[in-house]
Amino acid sequence: MDQQEQVTNRIFTLANIVSFIRLCMVPAYLVFLLEGHDILAAFMFALAASTDFVDGQLARRTHTVSRLGQLLDPAVDRILMIAGVVGLLLVGRLPLWIIVVVIARDLLLLCGAAFLLRYKKRIAVVFPGKVATTLLFVGFAGLLLNFPIINGLGLCDAAWLPGFNAEQVSWGIWFVYAGLALALATTAVYIYRGWRALQEALKERK
């Protein structure tokens, strides 16, 4: 966001309405998935994920960046991410360890951001972090669609490493692995920047 952009306290902005609509897509996605409608679930998830940039762009272009939107936009992304992995776990298309890593990372970032807000500090999203999120969303959509199915590499017999064992799996798993690796790398960047921001805030208080 431009440093000179005015931040308002308005709630019912066009950007916030888009964020609310994206939030409402989350339970719809879960219902479709658990009812066995893979195509509808994949479509709903992909629609919610692909409109990630819309609310932010609307806020900037209409000059209605709001404090609610600054919290709601990333919160919807995190909720969608968590709902995505939990839904895939429930239908048996993702191993538990991936879900644990994704949720633990998101909780760490959320808690860190909330802590820094106490010192009036915010960490800007880095571009590789956005790429990681996009890769994960594409991978989840592929696993939801569950087509086409490809052969595993057969490098091991571990059931908890789909794609690396010999079992057939959706192509989406490879996007999940790529997104997960990049997400963990960017987490280190966020931790470093958060630590520096905290040090600066403590110095300012002194």
Side-chain angles (χ1 to χ4, degrees), residues 93 143 146 148-154 162-171 173:
R93 295 177 196 168
L143 290 171
N146 207 30
I149 300 297
I150 59 178
N151 292 325
L153 298 178
F164 290 100
N165 57 34
E167 298 295 324
Q168 289 189 320
V169 68
S170 166
W171 58 270
I173 194 63

Side-chain angles (χ1 to χ4, degrees), residues 11-129:
I11 295 177
F12 294 104
T13 66
L14 185 58
N16 288 347
I17 290 173
V18 170
S19 293
F20 281 124
I21 292 173
R22 292 181 64 228
L23 184 60
C24 291
M25 292 180 184
V26 175
Y29 143 72
L30 288 172
V31 170
F32 286 138
L33 179 63
L34 297 179
E35 290 292 325
H37 304 296
D38 289 348
I39 295 178
L40 287 175
F43 172 77
M44 190 62 63
F45 184 86
L47 182 61
S50 63
T51 52
D52 172 30
F53 71 97
V54 173
D55 38 15
Q57 286 296 316
L58 280 173
R60 292 175 180 85
R61 292 179 182 277
T62 59
H63 304 290
T64 54
V65 174
S66 67
R67 289 181 174 81
L68 175 61
Q70 288 179 332
L71 296 174
L72 187 61
D73 184 16
V76 171
D77 290 342
R78 302 278 70 82
I79 292 170
L80 182 61
M81 181 74 73
I82 292 172
V85 295
V86 169
L88 287 167
L89 174 66
L90 292 175
V91 294
R93 295 177 196 168
L94 266 185
L96 181 60
W97 71 269
I98 293 181
I99 283 80
V100 171
V101 170
V102 169
I103 293 179
R105 174 186 181 269
D106 279 3
L107 288 178
L108 174 64
L109 295 181
L110 282 174
C111 291
F115 181 76
L116 287 177
L117 280 177
R118 296 172 56 188
Y119 296 91
K120 298 181 180 180
K121 294 288 184 179
R122 297 179 70 245
I123 304 300
V125 175
V126 297
F127 180 72

Side-chain angles (χ1 to χ4, degrees), residues 158-195:
W160 52 276
L161 282 175
F164 290 100
N165 57 34
E167 298 295 324
Q168 289 189 320
V169 68
S170 166
W171 58 270
I173 194 63
W174 297 112
F175 281 85
V176 171
Y177 285 142
L180 199 59
L182 188 55
L184 292 176
T186 56
T187 300
V189 175
Y190 286 130
I191 291 174
Y192 173 73
R193 292 189 176 185
W195 174 254

